[in-house]
């Protein structure tokens, strides 16, 4: 699921939380509970901490810039405000957050008097024994969360807001954003540079410009990790017009050069922590810089995503290795309740009603075969069977059979029928106040992605769906 917080419509600021169910593709308003809720604001940033919780930081409420921190449990809708210790980042909006191991990094933003920030902060102590590699609990560290300012050597990016900031395992990348230049007469500029954190030498590194073979300057675009070493850029705004183009940034890991290693040995990184705010230099209190940042990022190159390359694009957009071999059209067919791959054009060996021009889909053939198996009185020639009566017999079979007795063809037919009746049942499920997420859980699942352990739960959901629909008949 995807969660969305805040924003602005004209002069009106929002503090609603909306949930997009990616099984049913429906938006739902989350009724947030708790004594502490974030005020209405725009240009805050949110990030998922784990499967249950997301963090909200900063933003602008129309009068002031903010630097407050909230944790929302998306399962219970409980929200609470965190009170991190240490020197706090200046209030800001248009900043970006990125997860790194069990910590949180904050870079950039815009603050009072239209000042663009280029500082880097870490919020540590979110997890117990952070960095130990254990499955520790959330927010159970006795010391509590603490902000630490990171001071890295190297050519750091200039202050900016509306940029992209993405962690990619051993990589941290900043792209684009809006800033200013000049001192007496400040001029708004939009950036197109790529800055990187070299996680081996713990320093900022700038990627060389590629001239015309790169996106134009922009801010408030999206920059998303879509593969091991690829970032997807979409859209943005340059002060005059909006963009709808799509690029991906290929980032390659290479061994660090001797010059980079020598620079790292002489430079290192410092942090500014504690309540004094006087710039005392010391290690990041449990997060040594080499543990916080990692291996070398050496080169990056932009490639525009051609419109005709949609099929190959899906290969790296899909997270599941098997799904990477299927096209975006296959995903659309699946969400419509059809097999991900269309049946072969040849009708040889296939059953048909009314001749070859009206073939029965393979999955429906399986449903008919199930009906014949459970009701010997039906004609052996399935082309002579009434589909509605056969479907009723198959559903009766699915409603009583033990899950472990189902064959592979049975499971495929059951999943097909589940997806066929789900859209028809959504209205009645809403009327009954049912949990749509529960009933829609299997809507996006292909039979090839099912595990044996999933089948009992799939069967239970299918039976609950049938029962819920019968209640409204």
């Amino acid at each position: 699921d995807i969660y969305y917080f805040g924003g602005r419509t004209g002069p009106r600021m929002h503090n609603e939380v909306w949930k997009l169910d990616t099984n049913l593709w429906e938006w739902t308003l989350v009724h947030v509970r708790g004594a502490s809720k974030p005020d209405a604001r725009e240009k805050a940033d949110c990030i998922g901490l784990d499967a249950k919780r997301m963090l909200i930081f900063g933003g602008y409420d129309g009068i002031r810039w903010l630097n407050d921190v909230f944790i929302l449990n998306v399962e219970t809708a409980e929200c609470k405000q965190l009170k991190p210790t240490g020197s706090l980042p200046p209030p800001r909006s248009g900043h970006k957050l990125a997860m790194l191991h069990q910590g949180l990094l904050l870079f950039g933003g815009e603050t009072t008097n239209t000042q663009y920030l280029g500082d880097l902060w870490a919020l540590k102590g979110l997890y117990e024994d952070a960095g130990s590699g254990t499955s520790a609990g959330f927010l159970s560290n006795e010391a509590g969360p603490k902000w630490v300012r990171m001071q890295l050597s190297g050519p750091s990016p200039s202050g900016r807001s509306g940029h992209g900031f993405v962690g990619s395992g051993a990589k941290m990348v900043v792209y684009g954003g809006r800033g200013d230049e000049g001192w007496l007469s400040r001029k708004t500029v939009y950036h197109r540079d790529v800055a990187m954190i070299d996680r081996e030498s713990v320093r900022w590194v700038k990627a060389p410009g590629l001239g015309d073979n790169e996106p134009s300057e922009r801010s408030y675009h999206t920059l998303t990790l879509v593969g091991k070493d690829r970032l997807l850029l979409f859209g943005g705004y340059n002060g005059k017009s909006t963009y709808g183009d799509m690029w991906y940034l290929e980032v390659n890991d290479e061994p660090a050069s001797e010059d980079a290693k020598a620079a790292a040995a002489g430079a290192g990184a410092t942090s500014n922590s504690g309540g004094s705010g006087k710039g005392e230099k010391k290690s990041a209190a449990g997060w040594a810089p080499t543990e916080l940042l990692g291996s070398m990022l050496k080169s990056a190159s932009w490639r525009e995503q051609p419109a005709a390359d949609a099929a190959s694009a899906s290969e790296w957009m899909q997270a599941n290795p098997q799904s990477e071999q299927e096209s975006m059209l296959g995903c659309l067919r699946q969400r419509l309740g059809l097999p991900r791959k269309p049946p072969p054009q040849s009708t040889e060996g296939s059953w048909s009603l009314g001749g070859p021009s009206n073939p029965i889909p393979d999955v429906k053939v399986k449903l008919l075969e199930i009906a014949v198996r459970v009701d010997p009185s039906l004609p052996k020639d399935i082309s002579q069977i009434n589909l509605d009566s056969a479907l009723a017999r198959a559903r009766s079979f699915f409603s009583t059979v033990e899950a472990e007795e189902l064959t592979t063809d049975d499971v495929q037919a059951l999943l097909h029928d589940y997806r066929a009746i789900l859209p028809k049942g959504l209205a009645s499920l809403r009327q009954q106040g049912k949990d749509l997420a529960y009933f829609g859980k299997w809507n996006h699942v292909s039979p090839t992605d099912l595990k044996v352990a999933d089948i009992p739960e799939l069967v239970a959901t299918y039976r609950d769906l049938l029962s819920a629909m019968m209640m409204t008949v």
Side-chain angles (χ1 to χ4, degrees), residues 196 198 205 207-208 251-257 260 296-300:
M196 303 166 288
D198 172 344
V205 178
V251 183
N252 302 312
D253 284 326
E254 298 176 2
S257 66
M296 180 67 178
L297 179 62
K298 284 288 292 181
S299 61

Side-chain angles (χ1 to χ4, degrees), residues 34-48:
S36 299
K37 302 177 186 178
D39 297 328
R41 63 191 69 192
E42 65 169 340
K43 299 178 183 176
D45 199 19
C46 307
I47 193 166

Side-chain angles (χ1 to χ4, degrees), residues 100 166-173 197 199 228-229 251-253 295-297:
L100 185 61
V166 179
S168 174
K171 312 167 185 68
M172 301 299 299
V173 179
I197 296 178
R199 297 178 53 195
K228 182 180 178 181
D229 56 2
V251 183
N252 302 312
D253 284 326
S295 65
M296 180 67 178
L297 179 62

Side-chain angles (χ1 to χ4, degrees), residues 158-236:
S158 58
R160 62 191 65 197
S161 69
H163 49 284
F165 182 40
V166 179
S168 174
K171 312 167 185 68
M172 301 299 299
V173 179
V174 174
Y175 169 75
R178 183 179 68 181
D180 59 23
E181 62 182 15
W183 180 251
L184 295 177
S185 58
R186 293 161 64 181
K187 177 183 177 182
T188 298
V189 296
Y190 290 83
H191 298 287
R192 63 189 297 183
D193 56 334
V194 178
M196 303 166 288
I197 296 178
D198 172 344
R199 297 178 53 195
E200 182 180 79
S201 61
V202 196
R203 65 196 308 267
W204 286 103
V205 178
K206 278 191 175 293
L210 300 176
D212 294 333
N213 192 29
E214 61 181 334
S216 56
E217 52 279 335
R218 66 190 67 198
S219 67
Y220 293 103
H221 47 274
T222 64
L223 187 65
T224 309
L225 176 67
V226 292
K228 182 180 178 181
D229 56 2
R230 284 183 175 182
L231 302 178
L232 176 67
L233 167 70
F234 174 72

Side-chain angles (χ1 to χ4, degrees), residues 45-51 53-56 69 71 96-107 120-127 130-131 138-139 147 165-173 197 199 223 225 287 291-293:
D45 199 19
C46 307
I47 193 166
L49 298 177
D50 53 29
R53 301 169 179 87
M54 78 174 189
L55 181 144
I56 303 168
V69 182
I71 300 290
K96 290 301 294 183
L97 303 171
M99 291 299 298
L100 185 61
H101 304 311
Q102 290 188 348
L104 181 71
L105 291 181
L106 161 69
F107 175 75
L120 179 68
W121 293 78
L123 181 59
K124 68 189 191 78
L126 288 173
Y127 299 82
F138 174 81
L139 289 176
W147 283 110
F165 182 40
V166 179
S168 174
K171 312 167 185 68
M172 301 299 299
V173 179
I197 296 178
R199 297 178 53 195
L223 187 65
L225 176 67
W287 270 4
E291 296 174 347
L292 175 64
L293 304 168

